[in-house]
């Protein structure tokens, strides 16, 4: 493999929709100041959506998905990055409208790139990826809104997913009492290994009925589910508590009332990892390499795959079969 002739996963929508590993050249890559030799990527829900014809992520074909990547600078037109620098690139338009990380080489705009912080390897950065970054951003949002371990129990919904798994681990690392919500009985031991003190069946959060106000159970929550379960969760947050919301796997509608907000002072905190400002982004990655860094990063790896295996593995997230992270080694 050379930079003149390298492999990438390409989705195309011509006569038929295809997901194949093809050979590309540097001329095939989009514009950007920094050329990166990719070492690792990871599979996110958006990447799985990009691999199906009606996923509504990709609008222009052919396209290389992969919203995360970490690797080494090969060339740079920006003084902030030099040859052999190790870097991370996630979010913005990467893997959505700009060729992404499922490629042995990627050309990325300099303003989207984060220097690899001391304390993380390239592989560890992609075990964390967008999922871990989103979890860390969620936890920091809770901190900024006055949530600390003495406040009480913190609930994490969708706890076996990428965001949920990292939220459980980060919160536990910081000394919080973490309750993890899941519908997968087989994953209780996994969640306990990440630091969950209690496993909560998801029916305890949402049983099909949404009350205007329910029993006050949790001081705060990290929610990656959205929809009706989030509406039910909001009614069960303690006075002055908060919920950091970053997901929509249960739907985009939020059929709640104003009562949790005006009678209990509950805050609903939106978490956006895509266009998160660079100063905050740099701080979050620093914390992921220091006080937020899980001691058990390898436990998050469900499996490690190659480019050639990606077409068969990408649907796993759409089927709800993911646990933690699927790492892509290039």
């Amino acid at each position: 493999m050379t930079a003149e002739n390298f492999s990438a996963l390409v989705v195309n929508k011509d006569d038929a929709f295809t997901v194949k590993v093809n050979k590309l050249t540097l001329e095939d890559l989009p514009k950007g100041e920094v050329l990166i030799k990719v070492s690792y990527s990871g599979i996110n829900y958006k990447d799985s959506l990009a691999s199906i014809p009606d996923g509504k992520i990709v609008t222009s074909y052919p396209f290389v998905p992969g919203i995360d990547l970490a690797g080494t600078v090969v060339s740079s037109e920006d003084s902030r990055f030099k040859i052999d620098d190790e870097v991370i690139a996630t979010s913005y338009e990467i893997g959505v409208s700009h060729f992404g990380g499922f490629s042995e080489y990627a050309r990325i705009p300099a303003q989207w790139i984060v220097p690899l912080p001391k304390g993380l390897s390239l592989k560890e950065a992609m075990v964390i990826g967008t999922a871990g970054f989103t979890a860390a951003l969620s936890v920091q949002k809770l901190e900024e809104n006055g949530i600390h371990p003495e406040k009480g129990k913190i609930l994490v919904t969708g706890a076996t997913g990428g965001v949920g798994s990292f939220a459980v681990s980060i919160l536990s690392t910081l000394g919080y009492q973490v309750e993890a919500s899941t519908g997968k009985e087989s994953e209780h031991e996994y969640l306990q290994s990440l630091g969950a003190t209690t496993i909560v069946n998801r029916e305890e959060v949402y049983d099909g009925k949404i009350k205007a106000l329910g029993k006050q159970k949790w001081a705060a929550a990290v929610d990656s589910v959205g929809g009706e379960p989030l509406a039910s969760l909001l009614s069960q947050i303690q006075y002055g508590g908060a919920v950091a919301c970053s997901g929509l796997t249960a739907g985009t509608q939020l059929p709640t009332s104003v009562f949790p907000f005006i009678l209990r002072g509950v805050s609903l905190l939106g978490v956006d990892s895509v266009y998160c400002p660079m100063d905050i982004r740099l701080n979050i990655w620093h914390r992921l390499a220091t006080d937020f860094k899980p001691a058990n990063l390898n436990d998050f790896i469900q499996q490690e795959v190659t480019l050639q295996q990606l077409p068969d593995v990408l649907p796993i997230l759409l089927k709800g079969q993911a646990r933690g992270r699927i790492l892509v080694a290039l």
Side-chain angles (χ1 to χ4, degrees), residues 260-284:
F261 310 112
I262 66 172
L263 297 182
R264 290 182 178 166
V266 172
S267 298
L268 178 58
L269 311 173
V271 177
D272 170 45
S273 60
V274 178
Y275 297 109
C276 173
M278 185 54 76
D279 59 337
I280 298 174
R281 187 177 297 274
L282 291 169
N283 178 55
I284 292 291

Short mmCIF file of all heavy atoms in Angstrom, two decimals, residues 260-284:
data_model
loop_
_atom_site.label_atom_id
_atom_site.label_comp_id
_atom_site.label_asym_id
_atom_site.label_seq_id
_atom_site.Cartn_x
_atom_site.Cartn_y
_atom_site.Cartn_z
N PRO A 260 -41.68 19.08 35.18
CA PRO A 260 -40.36 18.83 35.74
C PRO A 260 -39.47 20.08 35.75
O PRO A 260 -38.64 20.25 36.65
CB PRO A 260 -39.77 17.76 34.81
CG PRO A 260 -40.95 17.09 34.20
CD PRO A 260 -41.97 18.18 34.04
N PHE A 261 -39.69 20.96 34.78
CA PHE A 261 -38.85 22.16 34.64
C PHE A 261 -39.30 23.28 35.58
O PHE A 261 -38.46 23.95 36.20
CB PHE A 261 -38.88 22.64 33.19
CG PHE A 261 -38.60 21.54 32.20
CD1 PHE A 261 -39.58 21.08 31.34
CD2 PHE A 261 -37.34 20.95 32.13
CE1 PHE A 261 -39.33 20.06 30.44
CE2 PHE A 261 -37.07 19.93 31.22
CZ PHE A 261 -38.08 19.48 30.37
N ILE A 262 -40.61 23.49 35.71
CA ILE A 262 -41.08 24.64 36.49
C ILE A 262 -41.44 24.30 37.93
O ILE A 262 -41.55 25.20 38.77
CB ILE A 262 -42.28 25.33 35.81
CG1 ILE A 262 -43.52 24.41 35.80
CG2 ILE A 262 -41.93 25.76 34.38
CD1 ILE A 262 -44.80 25.10 35.31
N LEU A 263 -41.62 23.02 38.25
CA LEU A 263 -41.94 22.64 39.62
C LEU A 263 -40.76 22.01 40.35
O LEU A 263 -40.72 22.02 41.59
CB LEU A 263 -43.13 21.67 39.66
CG LEU A 263 -44.46 22.23 39.12
CD1 LEU A 263 -45.57 21.18 39.25
CD2 LEU A 263 -44.85 23.50 39.87
N ARG A 264 -39.82 21.45 39.60
CA ARG A 264 -38.66 20.82 40.23
C ARG A 264 -37.33 21.43 39.78
O ARG A 264 -36.28 21.02 40.22
CB ARG A 264 -38.65 19.31 39.96
CG ARG A 264 -39.75 18.56 40.69
CD ARG A 264 -39.69 17.07 40.43
NE ARG A 264 -40.72 16.37 41.18
CZ ARG A 264 -41.09 15.10 40.96
NH1 ARG A 264 -40.48 14.40 40.01
NH2 ARG A 264 -42.04 14.55 41.67
N GLY A 265 -37.38 22.40 38.88
CA GLY A 265 -36.15 23.06 38.45
C GLY A 265 -35.20 22.14 37.70
O GLY A 265 -33.98 22.35 37.72
N VAL A 266 -35.75 21.14 37.04
CA VAL A 266 -34.90 20.19 36.29
C VAL A 266 -34.38 20.86 35.02
O VAL A 266 -35.10 21.61 34.35
CB VAL A 266 -35.71 18.92 35.94
CG1 VAL A 266 -34.92 18.01 34.99
CG2 VAL A 266 -36.08 18.17 37.21
N SER A 267 -33.14 20.58 34.67
CA SER A 267 -32.53 21.13 33.45
C SER A 267 -32.33 20.01 32.43
O SER A 267 -31.82 18.94 32.77
CB SER A 267 -31.17 21.77 33.77
OG SER A 267 -31.32 22.86 34.66
N LEU A 268 -32.72 20.28 31.19
CA LEU A 268 -32.44 19.37 30.08
C LEU A 268 -31.30 19.99 29.28
O LEU A 268 -31.42 21.07 28.71
CB LEU A 268 -33.68 19.21 29.20
CG LEU A 268 -33.52 18.32 27.96
CD1 LEU A 268 -33.07 16.92 28.34
CD2 LEU A 268 -34.82 18.27 27.16
N LEU A 269 -30.16 19.29 29.26
CA LEU A 269 -28.93 19.82 28.68
C LEU A 269 -28.65 19.14 27.34
O LEU A 269 -28.42 17.93 27.29
CB LEU A 269 -27.75 19.59 29.63
CG LEU A 269 -27.98 20.01 31.08
CD1 LEU A 269 -26.81 19.56 31.95
CD2 LEU A 269 -28.19 21.51 31.19
N GLY A 270 -28.67 19.92 26.27
CA GLY A 270 -28.35 19.37 24.96
C GLY A 270 -26.86 19.18 24.79
O GLY A 270 -26.06 20.05 25.15
N VAL A 271 -26.47 18.02 24.25
CA VAL A 271 -25.06 17.69 24.07
C VAL A 271 -24.80 17.46 22.58
O VAL A 271 -25.33 16.52 21.99
CB VAL A 271 -24.67 16.44 24.87
CG1 VAL A 271 -23.22 16.06 24.61
CG2 VAL A 271 -24.92 16.66 26.36
N ASP A 272 -24.02 18.34 21.98
CA ASP A 272 -23.67 18.22 20.57
C ASP A 272 -22.17 18.05 20.43
O ASP A 272 -21.40 18.96 20.72
CB ASP A 272 -24.11 19.46 19.78
CG ASP A 272 -23.54 19.47 18.38
OD1 ASP A 272 -23.59 18.40 17.72
OD2 ASP A 272 -23.03 20.51 17.94
N SER A 273 -21.76 16.87 19.98
CA SER A 273 -20.33 16.62 19.80
C SER A 273 -19.85 16.97 18.40
O SER A 273 -18.64 17.02 18.16
CB SER A 273 -20.02 15.15 20.08
OG SER A 273 -20.73 14.31 19.19
N VAL A 274 -20.76 17.24 17.47
CA VAL A 274 -20.38 17.46 16.08
C VAL A 274 -19.71 18.82 15.89
O VAL A 274 -18.61 18.92 15.36
CB VAL A 274 -21.60 17.32 15.14
CG1 VAL A 274 -21.18 17.60 13.70
CG2 VAL A 274 -22.20 15.92 15.26
N TYR A 275 -20.38 19.88 16.31
CA TYR A 275 -19.85 21.22 16.13
C TYR A 275 -19.40 21.84 17.45
O TYR A 275 -19.35 23.07 17.58
CB TYR A 275 -20.88 22.11 15.43
CG TYR A 275 -21.21 21.63 14.04
CD1 TYR A 275 -22.44 21.06 13.76
CD2 TYR A 275 -20.26 21.72 13.02
CE1 TYR A 275 -22.73 20.60 12.48
CE2 TYR A 275 -20.55 21.25 11.74
CZ TYR A 275 -21.78 20.69 11.48
OH TYR A 275 -22.06 20.23 10.22
N CYS A 276 -19.07 21.01 18.40
CA CYS A 276 -18.54 21.48 19.68
C CYS A 276 -17.34 22.40 19.42
O CYS A 276 -16.43 22.04 18.68
CB CYS A 276 -18.10 20.26 20.50
SG CYS A 276 -17.25 20.66 22.02
N PRO A 277 -17.32 23.61 20.00
CA PRO A 277 -16.22 24.55 19.75
C PRO A 277 -14.87 23.95 20.09
O PRO A 277 -14.74 23.14 21.02
CB PRO A 277 -16.56 25.73 20.67
CG PRO A 277 -18.03 25.65 20.87
CD PRO A 277 -18.36 24.19 20.87
N MET A 278 -13.84 24.34 19.36
CA MET A 278 -12.53 23.73 19.48
C MET A 278 -11.92 23.90 20.87
O MET A 278 -11.24 23.01 21.38
CB MET A 278 -11.58 24.26 18.41
CG MET A 278 -10.21 23.58 18.40
SD MET A 278 -10.24 21.76 18.28
CE MET A 278 -10.66 21.54 16.54
N ASP A 279 -12.16 25.03 21.53
CA ASP A 279 -11.58 25.20 22.87
C ASP A 279 -12.16 24.18 23.85
O ASP A 279 -11.44 23.59 24.66
CB ASP A 279 -11.77 26.63 23.38
CG ASP A 279 -13.23 27.06 23.46
OD1 ASP A 279 -14.08 26.48 22.74
OD2 ASP A 279 -13.53 27.98 24.24
N ILE A 280 -13.45 23.93 23.75
CA ILE A 280 -14.09 22.92 24.59
C ILE A 280 -13.63 21.53 24.17
O ILE A 280 -13.34 20.66 25.01
CB ILE A 280 -15.62 23.02 24.51
CG1 ILE A 280 -16.09 24.39 25.04
CG2 ILE A 280 -16.29 21.89 25.30
CD1 ILE A 280 -17.56 24.65 24.88
N ARG A 281 -13.53 21.31 22.87
CA ARG A 281 -13.09 20.02 22.34
C ARG A 281 -11.69 19.65 22.85
O ARG A 281 -11.45 18.52 23.30
CB ARG A 281 -13.10 20.08 20.80
CG ARG A 281 -12.82 18.75 20.11
CD ARG A 281 -12.92 18.93 18.60
NE ARG A 281 -14.25 19.33 18.18
CZ ARG A 281 -15.24 18.48 17.93
NH1 ARG A 281 -15.04 17.17 18.03
NH2 ARG A 281 -16.42 18.92 17.56
N LEU A 282 -10.78 20.59 22.82
CA LEU A 282 -9.43 20.35 23.30
C LEU A 282 -9.43 20.02 24.79
O LEU A 282 -8.70 19.13 25.25
CB LEU A 282 -8.54 21.56 23.03
CG LEU A 282 -8.21 21.84 21.56
CD1 LEU A 282 -7.56 23.22 21.42
CD2 LEU A 282 -7.29 20.76 20.99
N ASN A 283 -10.25 20.74 25.56
CA ASN A 283 -10.34 20.49 26.99
C ASN A 283 -10.89 19.10 27.28
O ASN A 283 -10.39 18.39 28.16
CB ASN A 283 -11.20 21.56 27.66
CG ASN A 283 -11.36 21.32 29.15
OD1 ASN A 283 -10.39 21.21 29.88
ND2 ASN A 283 -12.60 21.22 29.60
N ILE A 284 -11.92 18.69 26.55
CA ILE A 284 -12.52 17.38 26.76
C ILE A 284 -11.52 16.27 26.44
O ILE A 284 -11.37 15.30 27.21
CB ILE A 284 -13.80 17.20 25.92
CG1 ILE A 284 -14.92 18.12 26.43
CG2 ILE A 284 -14.27 15.75 25.92
CD1 ILE A 284 -15.47 17.76 27.79
#
